[in-house]
């Protein structure tokens, strides 16, 4: 992995956004989107208002060719007021004193009867010249404990615990009756998934992946049915991990995860984040977040998609240039420099940490849907919609001010402090930043977390300065 030598960064949409027909909501619309009543009240400051206007702290979504917003350019976002109103209409799950726990369920176990059948399902199919993959995750894997710590920070101060429930893969006795609707789809077979407690065995379709990378994939919705049948009564949300590849329909190559927000369940697969698959997926490790904002990298991606010579035309902006060199105190610039200082990932432990970092961000995204968050087109944000493993690694791990305001509104009341909900919302934003920074300090040997730590440090300094100026 060659370190990126460039210093100019994109802080707004790439030229591909205009080509795709995506127009980012302007700053005034973004300010309205964070308002609790959907209006600007004269003299009443908005949560993180100054930061919302600073693209070096909260840049716009890059929108590279084939990104989610390039494929769905009409997305104009989900304002705070619309999101909040859904709670009053019982259309959004609210955190309560009875339901304030997130459960993380470890990958289902493989009993001895299934070991021979399933022993290699977690291993990607790779060319012989490719280095072997890493060990799969189990209930005792260090990564599960680390994921719990990450989520406790991200969803501070909710209870995030490893579920005692153990699901188990079983053989399926009945012959498969499924018929392929696609001439190119591999033949579907079936296995069973046994639920904990009073055992029930659910029928799970499985097949080899269409791209040949997975020996077998399991069908996402079938696994979800089994998970829903064992939803803990005190759970606000549940996320199940799996080390097997997932698919949704017969023409679907794969999916890394899905959330059913209304049902408060998510399933996330670690399979496609295995570093051994990066080359096959076209992932440029030197330009994952925060280095995904590198101007040279973005321009190269746009040129490759258009098969054109470099263009001198810049993305049209109303207030800011789309790119430039970061000021000395820029949060994004600090993140980029910190990530670049991390030595090349080489050992198995280092690659395992990199694998974990990618999965942690995806799990936090999927759980966000359980809080009623839609995909975010306002800023570069962990709640951005993504449609590839490549794009997964190019979005930031933080929430933008609009999505952060929603989560702060939901979780602020859990803080043991006095004040109205708006005051608790403000305190939560700072506390969550501090807790996440502490987590990242122990993980700054991974570029993404080193960058996140530096970004958080600058953001916390900004908040402290903003508070001092108001006094």
């Amino acid at each position: 992995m060659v370190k990126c030598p460039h210093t100019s960064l994109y802080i707004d949409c790439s030229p591909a956004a205009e080509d795709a027909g995506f127009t980012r909501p302007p700053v005034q619309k973004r300010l309205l989107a964070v308002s609790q009543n959907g209006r600007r009240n004269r003299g009443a400051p908005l949560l993180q208002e100054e930061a919302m206007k600073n693209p070096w702290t909260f840049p716009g979504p890059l929108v590279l060719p084939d990104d989610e917003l390039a494929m769905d350019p009409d997305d104009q976002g989900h304002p705070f007021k619309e999101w909040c109103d859904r709670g009053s209409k019982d259309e959004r799950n609210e955190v309560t004193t009875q339901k304030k726990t997130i459960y993380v369920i470890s990958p289902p176990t493989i009993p001895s009867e299934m070991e021979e059948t399933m022993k290699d399902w977690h291993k990607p199919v790779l060319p012989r010249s490719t280095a072997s993959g890493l060990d799969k995750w189990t209930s005792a894997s260090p990564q599960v404990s680390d994921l719990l710590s990450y989520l406790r920070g991200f969803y501070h101060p909710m209870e995030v615990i490893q579920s005692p429930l153990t699901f188990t893969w079983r053989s399926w006795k009945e012959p498969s009756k499924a018929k392929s609707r696609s001439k190119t789809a591999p033949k579907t077979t079936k296995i069973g998934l046994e639920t904990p407690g009073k055992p029930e065995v659910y029928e799970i379709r499985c097949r080899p992946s269409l791209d040949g990378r997975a020996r077998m994939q399991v069908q996402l919705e079938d696994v979800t049915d089994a998970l829903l049948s064992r939803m803990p009564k005190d759970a606000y949300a549940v996320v199940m991990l799996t080390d097997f590849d997932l698919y949704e329909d017969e023409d679907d190559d794969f999916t890394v995860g899905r959330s059913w927000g209304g049902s408060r369940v998510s399933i996330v697969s670690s399979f496609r984040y295995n570093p051994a698959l990066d080359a096959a997926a076209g992932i440029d490790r030197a330009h994952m977040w925060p280095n995904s904002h590198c101007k040279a990298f973005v321009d190269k991606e746009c040129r490759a998609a258009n098969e054109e010579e470099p263009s001198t035309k810049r993305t049209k902006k109303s207030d800011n240039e789309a790119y430039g060199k970061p000021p000395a105190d820029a949060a994004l610039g600090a993140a980029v420099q910190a990530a670049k200082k991390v030595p090349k990932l080489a050992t198995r432990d280092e690659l395992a940490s990199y694998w974990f970092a990618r999965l942690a961000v995806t799990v936090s995204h999927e759980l966000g849907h359980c809080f009623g968050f839609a995909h975010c087109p306002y800023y570069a944000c962990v709640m951005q919609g993504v449609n590839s493993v490549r794009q997964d690694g190019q979005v930031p791990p933080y929430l933008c001010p609009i999505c952060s305001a929603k989560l702060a509104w939901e979780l602020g009341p859990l803080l043991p402090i006095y004040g109205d909900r708006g005051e608790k919302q403000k305190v939560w934003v700072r506390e969550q930043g501090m807790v996440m920074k502490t987590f990242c300090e122990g993980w700054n040997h991974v570029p993404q977390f080193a960058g996140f730590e530096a970004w958080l440090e600058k953001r916390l300094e900004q908040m402290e300065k903003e508070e001092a100026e108001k006094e």
Side-chain angles (χ1 to χ4, degrees):
M1 180 178 71
V2 178
K3 295 288 184 180
C4 172
H6 307 107
T7 57
S8 188
L9 306 174
Y10 264 91
I11 51 174
D12 218 312
C13 302
S14 78
E18 186 174 12
D19 294 341
F22 173 73
T23 301
R24 183 187 177 197
V27 64
Q28 291 304 319
K29 189 171 182 179
R30 299 197 298 269
L31 291 170
L32 289 176
V34 80
S35 170
Q36 294 177 14
N37 58 14
R39 300 189 301 272
R40 292 295 308 276
N41 296 327
R42 183 175 298 179
L46 297 170
L47 187 66
Q48 302 195 81
E49 180 173 353
E50 291 305 312
M52 292 180 71
K53 300 174 184 177
N54 184 351
W56 290 107
T57 299
F58 290 106
L62 289 172
V63 195
L64 298 182
D66 298 324
D67 278 4
E68 178 75 12
L69 284 172
M71 306 302 290
D72 182 19
D74 297 328
D75 187 355
Q76 287 297 295
H78 192 205
F80 179 94
K81 184 178 185 302
E82 289 183 15
W83 169 83
C84 195
D85 287 348
R86 291 181 63 198
S88 62
K89 299 175 183 177
D90 294 326
E91 296 176 354
R92 173 174 62 81
N93 299 308
E94 296 185 279
V95 176
T96 67
T97 54
Q98 291 76 35
K99 292 186 177 181
K100 59 178 182 180
T101 302
I102 294 174
Y103 285 96
V104 177
I105 298 180
S106 301
T109 61
I110 301 176
S112 57
E113 68 186 73
M114 298 294 291
E115 283 181 356
E116 186 61 30
T117 300
M118 306 180 75
K119 64 180 181 180
D120 290 331
W121 286 18
H122 70 284
K123 297 179 181 179
V125 178
L126 302 166
R128 291 185 179 181
S129 59
T130 307
S132 60
L134 300 171
D135 296 333
K136 67 178 180 178
W137 291 32
T138 67
S139 59
S141 296
Q143 293 98 325
V144 175
S145 176
D146 295 330
L147 180 61
L148 294 173
S149 297
Y150 185 86
L151 295 176
R152 285 172 186 144
F154 196 93
Y155 290 104
H156 170 76
M158 292 188 79
E159 296 176 0
V160 181
I161 63 176
Q162 185 172 353
S163 172
L165 300 178
T166 300
F167 289 75
T168 305
W169 296 113
R170 297 292 185 189
S171 59
W172 185 255
K173 305 299 183 182
E174 298 178 4
S176 174
K177 298 179 182 179
K179 294 184 179 180
S180 172
R181 290 175 294 176
S182 170
K183 294 181 180 180
T184 61
K187 183 179 179 181
T188 301
T189 58
K190 295 179 182 178
I191 56 173
L193 183 58
E194 183 181 272
T195 60
K198 185 178 180 181
E200 292 182 86
V201 179
Y202 280 74
E203 173 187 312
I204 309 295
R205 288 166 286 175
C206 54
R207 66 168 199 190
S209 68
L210 298 183
D211 64 1
R213 296 300 174 193
R215 290 171 175 84
M216 292 296 277
Q217 301 172 306
V218 293
Q219 210 280 335
L220 177 65
E221 293 182 359
D222 292 349
V223 178
T224 305
D225 289 341
L227 177 57
L228 283 169
S229 73
R230 292 297 184 270
M231 188 78 171
K233 292 182 179 180
D234 63 338
Y236 176 79
V238 170
V239 57
M240 174 185 274
L241 306 176
T242 175
D243 39 35
F244 297 155
D245 205 18
L246 298 170
Y247 76 100
E248 290 193 76
D249 57 56
E250 291 181 348
D251 297 320
D252 181 34
D253 282 340
F254 65 88
T255 185
V256 296
R258 185 69 69 219
S259 180
W260 286 264
S263 300
R264 296 172 287 120
V265 298
S266 303
I267 298 177
V268 179
S269 166
S270 62
F271 184 90
R272 294 283 167 166
Y273 295 124
N274 191 317
L277 284 171
D278 283 0
I283 291 173
D284 181 354
R285 290 185 191 169
H287 288 101
M288 300 182 73
W289 188 88
N291 292 317
S292 53
H293 286 270
C294 167
K295 179 181 182 297
F297 166 71
V298 171
D299 289 344
K300 178 183 175 182
E301 292 292 298
C302 293
R303 288 198 303 270
N306 294 327
E307 297 182 349
E308 295 177 351
E309 292 299 316
S311 173
T312 58
K313 183 176 71 172
R314 298 184 180 184
T315 306
K316 294 180 180 179
K317 299 306 302 169
S318 56
D319 299 315
N320 303 297
E321 294 289 349
Y323 53 81
K325 293 186 177 181
D329 61 346
L332 179 59
V336 167
Q337 291 305 312
K340 287 182 178 181
K341 291 178 182 178
V342 177
K344 178 182 177 180
L345 302 172
T347 69
R348 285 178 63 86
D349 286 346
E350 289 169 345
L351 288 171
S353 297
Y354 160 75
W355 189 8
F356 160 73
R358 297 166 69 184
L359 189 75
V361 172
T362 295
V363 173
S364 64
H365 169 103
E366 295 300 340
L367 284 171
H369 290 309
C370 294
F371 287 82
F373 301 166
H375 285 153
C376 176
Y378 298 109
Y379 292 90
C381 173
V382 73
M383 288 310 300
Q384 276 182 249
V386 299
N387 62 2
S388 68
V389 178
R390 171 196 58 77
Q391 190 190 357
D392 262 336
Q394 293 168 354
V395 299
Y398 58 74
L399 290 165
C400 78
I402 297 169
C403 295
S404 177
K406 298 172 185 176
L407 192 58
W409 184 260
E410 199 67 73
L411 300 186
L414 298 181
L415 297 175
I417 59 173
Y418 293 103
D420 61 29
R421 197 161 187 172
E423 292 170 334
K424 292 182 178 181
Q425 185 187 31
K426 182 179 177 181
V427 172
W428 182 89
V429 171
R430 180 172 179 80
E431 282 200 11
Q432 193 241 18
M434 294 171 66
V435 175
M436 289 306 299
K437 182 176 180 295
T438 298
F439 175 89
C440 291
E441 287 171 353
W443 282 85
N444 55 19
H445 57 287
V446 180
Q448 295 97 314
F449 287 137
F452 196 13
E453 179 192 3
W455 184 91
L456 286 164
E457 182 174 1
K458 288 294 184 182
R459 180 68 195 113
L460 289 166
E461 288 175 1
Q462 291 170 359
M463 285 191 274
E464 186 175 344
K465 182 179 178 181
E466 290 164 7
E467 282 300 306
E469 290 175 349
K470 292 177 183 178
E471 294 178 355

